[in-house]
Amino acid sequence: MFRTSAVILIALIVAFLIISLVSSQPWHTIQIFMFEPVSSKAHIGNVIEMAIPLMFSGLALSLLFKANLFNLGAEGIFYFSGVVAASIAIHAQLGNWLHPAVAVLAGGLVGALLSAIPGILKAKWNASELVTSLMFNSILFGVGLYLLNYKLRDAKAFATVSYKFQPTAILDKLVPGTRIHTGLIVVLVCIVAVHFFLYKTKWGYELRMTGINRNFAEYSGIKTAKVIILVHLIAGFIAGMGGSIEVLGMYNRFQWTALPGYGFDGALVAMLAKNKPFAVIGGAFFLAYIRIGADQMARMSDVPSEMIAIIQAVIILLISAEQFLKFFKNRMLLREAAKDA
Amino acid sequence: MHSLLDVILTTDFAFSVLRVMTPILFAALGALISNRAGIINIGLEGIMLVSALTGVVVSAYTHSAWVGLLAAAMGGTLIAGILAFFTLQFKTHIILGGIAINLFASGGTVFILYLLSGDKGSSTSLPSKVLPSIDIPLIKDIPVLGPILSGHHVLTYAAILAVFVVYYLLNKTPLGLRIRSVGENPHAAQSVGVSVMKTQYIALLLSGFFAGLGGAYMSMGYLSMFSRDMTAGRGWIALAAEAMGRGTTLGTSLTSLLFGAADALSNALQVLKIPAELIGTVPYIATLVGLVVYAINETRRKNNKKLKSKSQPSAK
């Protein structure tokens, strides 16, 4: 906890330094960056809207990281499940609440099945889930973009976008005046469920043991191959739902022509949350907050929003640095020892 | 009516394969060196991007393409150095560190580009320089081979040369031996007095250097400007090439050539109205299949060994 706060503080200091170097009115710009996200109902809404997909991917990545699996496939699954949900939203004829439910569940199931493949390859033959999942990202993006361009694309629209979703498929808004949608409830339910699964069930226990030491878990009678496949299925399901919900909650056409980046963002959220489900909420909100702050800053001052990328890199590098504070502590100890001698 | 063979069996196509292969080969050689030292550098994509921008900016301000190239290579080495510092000194997880580098590069390059040129898309307003192409005197007059092998960008030749340099480095020099031994078994290497940390530092810096050359090629050869996210996944392809090449210099280089061909094919096949999106996935599918086959073989071999060692005591 202390280290996470220290890292966030350092990251904010770096942000202020960059702003003061770049901006002609640094103080004004910093104020926009810090306080604009909570300045109005619409902006608070923006933060919450952005936190929803971040919570989904952060939760999926937390599960995988907890099992000591470095699978970064949430990126491709977000995209592809989005395409699946979009095609159901365009073509199916279903009732008001059934339509989005079917689309989201279909996206989740497709995500689970796709995610299972690197899982099976890892569990059975120990193929690096990192490399296979990265390959899957590119493959899923290629196939998804093909489907968008050749099957779903609205020729009458000027940009590369799909046909309009049917109004029945779009998720309901929770708070008038914002775009906060029912996906928020779904993700919070998921977080509670994953917490319960991880800490209160036998499977969750097996998952955590496998993550700590796969060989030890295997010798103590846990079927680790099964655990690895199960984790991938659940994480894929969560990421798939996340992609579908983002598409149906925020847009009325499918319009991603590049990978949306949520897979890697999820890694950042999971790290901030130390892979704990409830802490994912905090990690996602923090990231969403500084992003909206940066967006507003780009709009109202002379500093571009891409500054946030530098801050994110600093956070990841420092937060995963096990020795970060120890390093300085050791140096201080050595120095004092030298003084005494 | 075009057919597939009409497109492929031309000197133009063979020429473009080498052209497209260049950045992949550079980065794959970088991946090879760091992987042999037992440390996977997934920040290659970001390193290439930073170097591509560095080359453009420095060449624009110094009016020299060669100074730009030097700066690009140094920039790549520097980013790799930062990654090395965090992973080796602060024990940041290497994969998470790589993710950080990539996130930093894709946003950070746009940030700097915007500050320097006021444009977030590309560097067209900066008067950057391009490195020259070279005609090879004798070879260029040979029919068929001439138009394929001659007239390439200077960095394309450098990439092919680099294959031999890396092979020599890894297999014939003391440093190469240290790199391989650290990757094979760091504890054993340590016990005979090899500094694991120092060796991995050197390996990561070298991987950054090579990826940096690949980045310079992107913005000062392949294109004559920087545009956002212009590396477009080549760093990932390079990692795949290394994985499929099974950690050998020859295997890695040949796979890079193969991926170059797949990439060139996806450009060429647009004429035939086969969707480019699908062709673009071919290198990744090939890698996936290659990896799985390799992993299955490895598992079988290990299982056989286990069976043998189990049956031996009873034979005695």
Side-chain angles (χ1 to χ4, degrees), chain A residues 18 22 65 68 70 72 117 121 124-128 130-136 138-143 145-146 149-150 261 264-265 267-268 271 291 298 301-307 309-310 312-314 316-318 320-324 327-328, chain B residues 40 42 82-83 85-86 89-93 95-108 110-112 114-115 120 228 236-237 239-240 243 273-278 280-281 283-288 291-292 295-300 302:
Chain A
I18 297 173
V22 169
F65 285 177
N68 201 22
F70 278 93
L72 299 175
I117 301 171
L121 297 178
K124 281 201 83 165
W125 297 300
N126 207 25
S128 160
L130 175 73
V131 184
T132 51
S133 66
L134 288 173
M135 295 303 111
F136 259 92
S138 305
I139 296 170
L140 290 178
F141 173 61
V143 177
L145 193 61
Y146 162 78
N149 273 333
Y150 288 82
F264 293 118
D265 295 342
L268 175 53
M271 283 158 72
R291 288 224 172 139
S301 78
D302 49 358
V303 181
S305 62
E306 278 77 8
M307 179 196 83
I310 303 170
Q312 287 178 8
V314 170
I316 296 184
L317 282 177
L318 290 181
S320 70
E322 288 168 18
Q323 306 289 329
F324 165 51
F327 184 78
F328 291 106
Chain B
I40 181 170
I42 72 163
I82 295 173
L83 180 64
F85 179 76
F86 272 95
Q89 226 92 38
F90 282 173
K91 307 293 175 208
T92 295
H93 195 290
I95 290 170
L96 301 176
I99 295 176
I101 298 291
N102 290 333
L103 280 177
F104 164 77
S106 76
V110 175
F111 183 76
I112 292 164
Y114 178 74
L115 293 183
K120 279 190 179 183
R228 72 185 296 166
W236 302 120
I237 298 188
L239 283 176
K273 303 209 166 147
I274 296 176
E277 297 91 344
L278 292 183
T281 63
Y284 303 104
I285 294 174
T287 311
L288 201 61
L291 276 179
V292 171
I296 292 176
N297 276 340
E298 281 288 285
T299 314
R300 281 224 183 107
K302 267 186 206 154

